[in-house]
Structure formats: structure tokens, C-alpha cells
Amino acid sequence: DIQMTQSPSSMSVSLGDTVTITCRASQDVGISVNWFQQKPGMSPRRLIYRATNLADGVPSRFSGSRSGSDYSFTISSLESEDVADYHCLQFDEYPLTFGSGTKLEIK
Amino acid sequence: EVLLQQSGADLGKPGTSVKLSCKVSGYNIRNNFIHWVIQRPGKGLEWIGAIDPANGNILYTEKFRGKATLTADTSSNTVYMQLSQLKSDDTTIYFCATYFFDQWGQGVMVSVSS
């Protein structure tokens, strides 16, 4: 199975900060990576699809990038509503696998 | 608008089964796979499997093969997941989601208790 190693597991950040979360794939998954936001008690929401594409209705402060087998998710100028858990997913090969998640908290 | 409406919270005794439903509106489930995902308390997401209602093709992650059984009813545009041989470890939240993970159900809590 493909492993998605996500880091960090948690971050304490300030409003207005730029936040970057990374997932490293254990083998080539191309651009088959999505990023999700999940707020407490809610279902995940897809923010980024195919590594770099912003989903409909998602603010432009969210972005995704890829460098080899490293996939990054960035929030520029963090807002209070961005406090949530974030997850990556590879869908290049079955079984699909998620990263272990990153919890964002405000300092 | 695509909506995935999951059945309400379910309670099962150890060793029994529960059957969860995911009714889809605004989208024909014959179009593509529907996924099921588990999220244990305070943990990340884990893919259980997916079903293609158009042809009955089913994919499972090895860990859930034999634990989860996916079915679909195209006449009601609903997919189901039966969880068998329930254990306390199965107590958690289960989600359904569309093929591209762009729409998710609200999640359903399954509790296993004697």
C-alpha cells in the first residue's frame, strides 16, 4: 500500500501566518492527491484536487503544490475560520490512503 | 445540488451486524464509484472501500475485507455498507463520499455495546 506521510501532526499558528503542510508519498502517485479540511463534528471538505487545483468556492488563500513525491498544502494569511484538521489523500492506486492529518490551532 | 444523506446513528451488540445507508440525491450513482471512509476518535481518515453501482464492482482495503460488505440499490440511488462481527473497536464514525470526494455524507456514528 502507498503510504502518505503527513507532517506536522499539529501546528500552533497566529492569524495572518502562512501555513504549510506536507505529505510525502512512498511511491509515485503523480498528481493524484487531494487535500481536505475538516472542522470539528463536520464531514471533510475537499479544498484541493489533483495536487494543485482549487475546488469550487474555496478561497484563493488555499493552494497546493508538488515537488516530486512531496505534496504541499499552503494557507496564506491564516484566518480564524481556517482552524481545522487537514488531510491529504492519494487516489492513484487502490487501496486509497490518507495522511495521518494535521491539526491547526491558534496560538 | 448533490447530497449524500446517511442513515442515523446505529447501535449494535458485539458479534452482530449493522447496515448503514447512504442515499444520494442530485447525482446518479450509476455514474461512478461511491466510497466509504472510517474515522476513529481523534484520528485520521481511513478508506474502507468503494462500490461501482453500475456494474457491482467492489474494492476493499484488505483490513476491511470480510468486515465490510458494500451493496447498492440503483432504483433508490442508495448505497449500503454492512459491518459484521461487530467489536467495540468498530465504535466510530463512518462516511460515504462521491468518487472524486467532492461531496460527503454527514457521517454516521456506530456504537457497539452489550
Side-chain angles (χ1 to χ4, degrees):
Chain A
D1 299 0
I2 297 173
Q3 291 197 32
M4 297 295 284
T5 302
Q6 186 169 345
S7 61
S9 57
S10 64
M11 293 182 77
S12 184
V13 296
S14 299
L15 298 179
D17 280 355
T18 293
V19 172
T20 298
I21 299 166
T22 299
C23 277
R24 173 167 290 176
S26 61
Q27 63 190 71
D28 181 32
V29 296
I31 60 169
S32 300
V33 172
N34 288 350
W35 289 93
F36 300 89
Q37 175 191 66
Q38 187 179 25
K39 296 184 178 181
M42 303 288 288
S43 307
R45 173 194 180 196
R46 189 184 68 170
L47 300 184
I48 302 290
Y49 65 97
R50 294 185 191 274
T52 62
N53 295 277
L54 201 63
D56 290 345
V58 176
S60 59
R61 64 180 180 275
F62 295 99
S63 64
S65 64
R66 173 197 178 191
S67 176
S69 61
D70 289 339
Y71 298 82
S72 295
F73 170 80
T74 298
I75 310 173
S76 59
S77 192
L78 187 82
E79 299 189 7
S80 57
E81 65 185 34
D82 301 334
V83 172
D85 294 339
Y86 292 86
H87 310 271
C88 65
L89 164 74
Q90 72 78 19
F91 56 94
D92 184 67
E93 181 181 292
Y94 289 103
L96 307 188
T97 45
F98 289 88
S100 53
T102 297
K103 185 178 207 57
L104 283 191
E105 297 171 320
I106 299 294
K107 281 181 185 172
Chain B
E1 182 187 14
V2 177
L3 290 175
L4 284 72
Q5 183 66 41
Q6 296 186 238
S7 48
D10 215 334
L11 176 66
K13 295 185 186 299
T16 65
S17 300
V18 294
K19 191 170 185 177
L20 313 180
S21 67
C22 174
K23 184 171 178 59
V24 182
S25 59
Y27 172 83
N28 189 331
I29 62 173
R30 285 179 171 272
N31 286 347
N32 224 321
F33 283 86
I34 297 289
H35 300 281
W36 288 89
V37 174
I38 183 174
Q39 185 167 36
R40 302 192 188 283
K43 302 292 186 184
L45 303 166
E46 186 177 4
W47 184 77
I48 295 172
I51 182 168
D52 183 350
N55 58 24
N57 188 24
I58 303 172
L59 301 166
Y60 295 103
T61 192
E62 197 59 36
K63 181 178 176 181
F64 283 92
R65 195 180 302 275
K67 163 64 74 178
T69 302
L70 306 187
T71 57
D73 178 359
T74 54
S75 66
S76 64
N77 223 40
T78 303
V79 296
Y80 300 90
M81 178 172 68
Q82 179 166 305
L83 298 170
S84 60
Q85 292 297 313
L86 290 173
K87 302 182 296 186
S88 58
D89 188 47
D90 298 321
T91 295
T92 193
I93 297 173
Y94 299 84
F95 295 98
C96 57
T98 51
Y99 179 67
F100 294 108
F101 292 96
D102 50 332
Q103 300 295 336
W104 292 64
Q106 80 275 26
V108 60
M109 179 72 193
V110 172
S111 298
V112 181
S113 173
S114 55

